mmCIF file with all atom_site columns, all heavy atoms in Angstrom:
data_model
loop_
_atom_site.group_PDB
_atom_site.id
_atom_site.type_symbol
_atom_site.label_atom_id
_atom_site.label_alt_id
_atom_site.label_comp_id
_atom_site.label_asym_id
_atom_site.label_entity_id
_atom_site.label_seq_id
_atom_site.pdbx_PDB_ins_code
_atom_site.Cartn_x
_atom_site.Cartn_y
_atom_site.Cartn_z
_atom_site.occupancy
_atom_site.B_iso_or_equiv
_atom_site.pdbx_formal_charge
_atom_site.auth_seq_id
_atom_site.auth_comp_id
_atom_site.auth_asym_id
_atom_site.auth_atom_id
_atom_site.pdbx_PDB_model_num
ATOM 1  N N   . SER S 1 281 ? 21.587 22.040 29.420 1.00 0.00 ? 281 SER S N   1
ATOM 2  C CA  . SER S 1 281 ? 21.955 21.325 28.176 1.00 0.00 ? 281 SER S CA  1
ATOM 3  C C   . SER S 1 281 ? 20.777 20.966 27.319 1.00 0.00 ? 281 SER S C   1
ATOM 4  O O   . SER S 1 281 ? 19.881 20.245 27.736 1.00 0.00 ? 281 SER S O   1
ATOM 5  C CB  . SER S 1 281 ? 22.678 20.021 28.698 1.00 0.00 ? 281 SER S CB  1
ATOM 6  O OG  . SER S 1 281 ? 22.811 19.170 27.538 1.00 0.00 ? 281 SER S OG  1
ATOM 7  N N   . ALA S 1 282 ? 20.795 21.551 26.219 1.00 0.00 ? 282 ALA S N   1
ATOM 8  C CA  . ALA S 1 282 ? 19.732 21.325 25.234 1.00 0.00 ? 282 ALA S CA  1
ATOM 9  C C   . ALA S 1 282 ? 19.713 19.954 24.736 1.00 0.00 ? 282 ALA S C   1
ATOM 10 O O   . ALA S 1 282 ? 18.733 19.177 24.555 1.00 0.00 ? 282 ALA S O   1
ATOM 11 C CB  . ALA S 1 282 ? 19.670 22.337 24.033 1.00 0.00 ? 282 ALA S CB  1
ATOM 12 N N   . PHE S 1 283 ? 20.945 19.465 24.409 1.00 0.00 ? 283 PHE S N   1
ATOM 13 C CA  . PHE S 1 283 ? 21.113 18.217 23.829 1.00 0.00 ? 283 PHE S CA  1
ATOM 14 C C   . PHE S 1 283 ? 20.658 17.014 24.720 1.00 0.00 ? 283 PHE S C   1
ATOM 15 O O   . PHE S 1 283 ? 19.872 16.181 24.320 1.00 0.00 ? 283 PHE S O   1
ATOM 16 C CB  . PHE S 1 283 ? 22.654 17.899 23.523 1.00 0.00 ? 283 PHE S CB  1
ATOM 17 C CG  . PHE S 1 283 ? 22.990 16.504 22.998 1.00 0.00 ? 283 PHE S CG  1
ATOM 18 C CD1 . PHE S 1 283 ? 22.480 16.088 21.791 1.00 0.00 ? 283 PHE S CD1 1
ATOM 19 C CD2 . PHE S 1 283 ? 23.639 15.649 23.927 1.00 0.00 ? 283 PHE S CD2 1
ATOM 20 C CE1 . PHE S 1 283 ? 22.841 14.693 21.465 1.00 0.00 ? 283 PHE S CE1 1
ATOM 21 C CE2 . PHE S 1 283 ? 23.850 14.373 23.565 1.00 0.00 ? 283 PHE S CE2 1
ATOM 22 C CZ  . PHE S 1 283 ? 23.439 13.909 22.211 1.00 0.00 ? 283 PHE S CZ  1
ATOM 23 N N   . ALA S 1 284 ? 21.098 17.089 25.957 1.00 0.00 ? 284 ALA S N   1
ATOM 24 C CA  . ALA S 1 284 ? 20.658 15.944 26.913 1.00 0.00 ? 284 ALA S CA  1
ATOM 25 C C   . ALA S 1 284 ? 19.283 15.929 27.100 1.00 0.00 ? 284 ALA S C   1
ATOM 26 O O   . ALA S 1 284 ? 18.660 14.906 27.221 1.00 0.00 ? 284 ALA S O   1
ATOM 27 C CB  . ALA S 1 284 ? 21.449 16.161 28.156 1.00 0.00 ? 284 ALA S CB  1
ATOM 28 N N   . SER S 1 285 ? 18.631 17.082 27.225 1.00 0.00 ? 285 SER S N   1
ATOM 29 C CA  . SER S 1 285 ? 17.145 17.116 27.570 1.00 0.00 ? 285 SER S CA  1
ATOM 30 C C   . SER S 1 285 ? 16.334 16.703 26.331 1.00 0.00 ? 285 SER S C   1
ATOM 31 O O   . SER S 1 285 ? 15.248 16.200 26.439 1.00 0.00 ? 285 SER S O   1
ATOM 32 C CB  . SER S 1 285 ? 16.656 18.450 27.978 1.00 0.00 ? 285 SER S CB  1
ATOM 33 O OG  . SER S 1 285 ? 16.965 19.438 26.934 1.00 0.00 ? 285 SER S OG  1
ATOM 34 N N   . LEU S 1 286 ? 16.906 16.683 25.133 1.00 0.00 ? 286 LEU S N   1
ATOM 35 C CA  . LEU S 1 286 ? 16.220 16.219 23.980 1.00 0.00 ? 286 LEU S CA  1
ATOM 36 C C   . LEU S 1 286 ? 16.371 14.706 23.660 1.00 0.00 ? 286 LEU S C   1
ATOM 37 O O   . LEU S 1 286 ? 15.893 14.180 22.823 1.00 0.00 ? 286 LEU S O   1
ATOM 38 C CB  . LEU S 1 286 ? 16.698 17.089 22.715 1.00 0.00 ? 286 LEU S CB  1
ATOM 39 C CG  . LEU S 1 286 ? 16.020 18.444 22.606 1.00 0.00 ? 286 LEU S CG  1
ATOM 40 C CD1 . LEU S 1 286 ? 16.725 19.258 21.429 1.00 0.00 ? 286 LEU S CD1 1
ATOM 41 C CD2 . LEU S 1 286 ? 14.617 18.291 22.293 1.00 0.00 ? 286 LEU S CD2 1
ATOM 42 N N   . LEU S 1 287 ? 17.362 14.149 24.425 1.00 0.00 ? 287 LEU S N   1
ATOM 43 C CA  . LEU S 1 287 ? 17.736 12.736 24.302 1.00 0.00 ? 287 LEU S CA  1
ATOM 44 C C   . LEU S 1 287 ? 16.485 11.792 24.245 1.00 0.00 ? 287 LEU S C   1
ATOM 45 O O   . LEU S 1 287 ? 16.354 10.954 23.492 1.00 0.00 ? 287 LEU S O   1
ATOM 46 C CB  . LEU S 1 287 ? 18.700 12.204 25.298 1.00 0.00 ? 287 LEU S CB  1
ATOM 47 C CG  . LEU S 1 287 ? 20.201 12.633 25.020 1.00 0.00 ? 287 LEU S CG  1
ATOM 48 C CD1 . LEU S 1 287 ? 21.037 12.111 26.113 1.00 0.00 ? 287 LEU S CD1 1
ATOM 49 C CD2 . LEU S 1 287 ? 20.632 12.004 23.566 1.00 0.00 ? 287 LEU S CD2 1
ATOM 50 N N   . PRO S 1 288 ? 15.550 12.001 25.221 1.00 0.00 ? 288 PRO S N   1
ATOM 51 C CA  . PRO S 1 288 ? 14.379 11.121 25.178 1.00 0.00 ? 288 PRO S CA  1
ATOM 52 C C   . PRO S 1 288 ? 13.633 11.105 23.837 1.00 0.00 ? 288 PRO S C   1
ATOM 53 O O   . PRO S 1 288 ? 12.933 10.121 23.563 1.00 0.00 ? 288 PRO S O   1
ATOM 54 C CB  . PRO S 1 288 ? 13.495 11.677 26.309 1.00 0.00 ? 288 PRO S CB  1
ATOM 55 C CG  . PRO S 1 288 ? 14.409 12.428 27.212 1.00 0.00 ? 288 PRO S CG  1
ATOM 56 C CD  . PRO S 1 288 ? 15.512 12.866 26.350 1.00 0.00 ? 288 PRO S CD  1
ATOM 57 N N   . ALA S 1 289 ? 13.747 12.196 23.122 1.00 0.00 ? 289 ALA S N   1
ATOM 58 C CA  . ALA S 1 289 ? 13.088 12.306 21.780 1.00 0.00 ? 289 ALA S CA  1
ATOM 59 C C   . ALA S 1 289 ? 13.632 11.231 20.742 1.00 0.00 ? 289 ALA S C   1
ATOM 60 O O   . ALA S 1 289 ? 12.885 10.828 19.806 1.00 0.00 ? 289 ALA S O   1
ATOM 61 C CB  . ALA S 1 289 ? 13.114 13.748 21.227 1.00 0.00 ? 289 ALA S CB  1
ATOM 62 N N   . LEU S 1 290 ? 14.934 10.864 21.078 1.00 0.00 ? 290 LEU S N   1
ATOM 63 C CA  . LEU S 1 290 ? 15.472 9.908  20.156 1.00 0.00 ? 290 LEU S CA  1
ATOM 64 C C   . LEU S 1 290 ? 15.082 8.400  20.463 1.00 0.00 ? 290 LEU S C   1
ATOM 65 O O   . LEU S 1 290 ? 15.370 7.529  19.711 1.00 0.00 ? 290 LEU S O   1
ATOM 66 C CB  . LEU S 1 290 ? 17.023 9.981  20.264 1.00 0.00 ? 290 LEU S CB  1
ATOM 67 C CG  . LEU S 1 290 ? 17.566 11.460 19.741 1.00 0.00 ? 290 LEU S CG  1
ATOM 68 C CD1 . LEU S 1 290 ? 19.079 11.448 19.895 1.00 0.00 ? 290 LEU S CD1 1
ATOM 69 C CD2 . LEU S 1 290 ? 17.262 11.665 18.271 1.00 0.00 ? 290 LEU S CD2 1
ATOM 70 N N   . LEU S 1 291 ? 14.460 8.261  21.631 1.00 0.00 ? 291 LEU S N   1
ATOM 71 C CA  . LEU S 1 291 ? 14.192 6.926  21.994 1.00 0.00 ? 291 LEU S CA  1
ATOM 72 C C   . LEU S 1 291 ? 13.365 6.089  21.000 1.00 0.00 ? 291 LEU S C   1
ATOM 73 O O   . LEU S 1 291 ? 13.626 4.900  20.867 1.00 0.00 ? 291 LEU S O   1
ATOM 74 C CB  . LEU S 1 291 ? 13.581 6.873  23.400 1.00 0.00 ? 291 LEU S CB  1
ATOM 75 C CG  . LEU S 1 291 ? 14.547 7.175  24.671 1.00 0.00 ? 291 LEU S CG  1
ATOM 76 C CD1 . LEU S 1 291 ? 13.795 7.348  25.887 1.00 0.00 ? 291 LEU S CD1 1
ATOM 77 C CD2 . LEU S 1 291 ? 15.574 6.112  24.697 1.00 0.00 ? 291 LEU S CD2 1
ATOM 78 N N   . PRO S 1 292 ? 12.227 6.662  20.490 1.00 0.00 ? 292 PRO S N   1
ATOM 79 C CA  . PRO S 1 292 ? 11.563 5.889  19.477 1.00 0.00 ? 292 PRO S CA  1
ATOM 80 C C   . PRO S 1 292 ? 12.321 5.492  18.361 1.00 0.00 ? 292 PRO S C   1
ATOM 81 O O   . PRO S 1 292 ? 12.206 4.302  17.826 1.00 0.00 ? 292 PRO S O   1
ATOM 82 C CB  . PRO S 1 292 ? 10.387 6.853  19.116 1.00 0.00 ? 292 PRO S CB  1
ATOM 83 C CG  . PRO S 1 292 ? 10.237 7.735  20.247 1.00 0.00 ? 292 PRO S CG  1
ATOM 84 C CD  . PRO S 1 292 ? 11.629 8.043  20.752 1.00 0.00 ? 292 PRO S CD  1
ATOM 85 N N   . VAL S 1 293 ? 13.187 6.379  17.857 1.00 0.00 ? 293 VAL S N   1
ATOM 86 C CA  . VAL S 1 293 ? 14.142 6.028  16.665 1.00 0.00 ? 293 VAL S CA  1
ATOM 87 C C   . VAL S 1 293 ? 15.076 4.843  17.169 1.00 0.00 ? 293 VAL S C   1
ATOM 88 O O   . VAL S 1 293 ? 15.311 3.893  16.372 1.00 0.00 ? 293 VAL S O   1
ATOM 89 C CB  . VAL S 1 293 ? 14.892 7.201  16.290 1.00 0.00 ? 293 VAL S CB  1
ATOM 90 C CG1 . VAL S 1 293 ? 15.949 6.793  15.272 1.00 0.00 ? 293 VAL S CG1 1
ATOM 91 C CG2 . VAL S 1 293 ? 13.951 8.242  15.654 1.00 0.00 ? 293 VAL S CG2 1
ATOM 92 N N   . ALA S 1 294 ? 15.566 4.978  18.374 1.00 0.00 ? 294 ALA S N   1
ATOM 93 C CA  . ALA S 1 294 ? 16.477 3.917  18.835 1.00 0.00 ? 294 ALA S CA  1
ATOM 94 C C   . ALA S 1 294 ? 15.641 2.607  18.964 1.00 0.00 ? 294 ALA S C   1
ATOM 95 O O   . ALA S 1 294 ? 16.243 1.571  18.605 1.00 0.00 ? 294 ALA S O   1
ATOM 96 C CB  . ALA S 1 294 ? 17.110 4.409  20.267 1.00 0.00 ? 294 ALA S CB  1
#
Side-chain angles (χ1 to χ4, degrees):
Chain S
S281 167
F283 171 71
S285 62
L286 281 171
L287 279 176
L290 296 177
L291 286 172
V293 173

